[in-house]
Amino acid sequence: MPKNVFLAKPIDMSTGFKDFFDTIGLTGSGLVTKGIAAVIVVIALRMLLQLSGDPKGALRKGSMAIGTLFVAVVLALYGDTLFSTVTQAKG
């Protein structure tokens, strides 16, 4: 049985955070959109936890919270693509 078992090849990260973000496949804008999506998810979960006892109000607030979660998921999945079209505009 071999003594050394390598699960992954070694990666040189001598230049710091740029190498780290390259290995996980995120750019600076991608990281920002993931952070914004995470904040929106927290807001939506808080909205879900604060539902009232009134059935109409709970249905309205619940549907708004589900819509907010949907927006957060779309932003997390496609946010870097959406924002890259804005930052690379040609004049």
Side-chain angles (χ1 to χ4, degrees):
M1 185 168 175
K3 287 185 174 185
N4 296 331
V5 177
F6 296 106
L7 297 177
K9 67 178 183 174
I11 297 174
D12 178 31
M13 292 203 181
S14 59
T15 60
F17 284 112
K18 182 184 178 315
D19 287 334
F20 172 71
F21 290 130
D22 287 342
T23 59
I24 61 174
L26 281 179
T27 60
S29 63
L31 187 64
V32 169
T33 56
K34 299 284 192 265
I36 293 171
V39 169
I40 293 174
V41 166
V42 169
I43 291 170
L45 290 177
R46 183 181 163 131
M47 289 169 63
L48 278 174
L49 291 175
Q50 291 183 344
L51 294 179
S52 63
D54 176 36
K56 274 188 173 179
L59 183 62
R60 185 177 300 122
K61 286 183 180 181
S63 62
M64 285 176 52
I66 297 296
T68 306
L69 280 173
F70 177 74
V71 168
V73 167
V74 168
L75 185 62
L77 293 175
Y78 303 112
D80 53 345
T81 306
L82 291 171
F83 289 131
S84 70
T85 60
V86 174
T87 57
Q88 296 175 1
K90 295 179 181 177

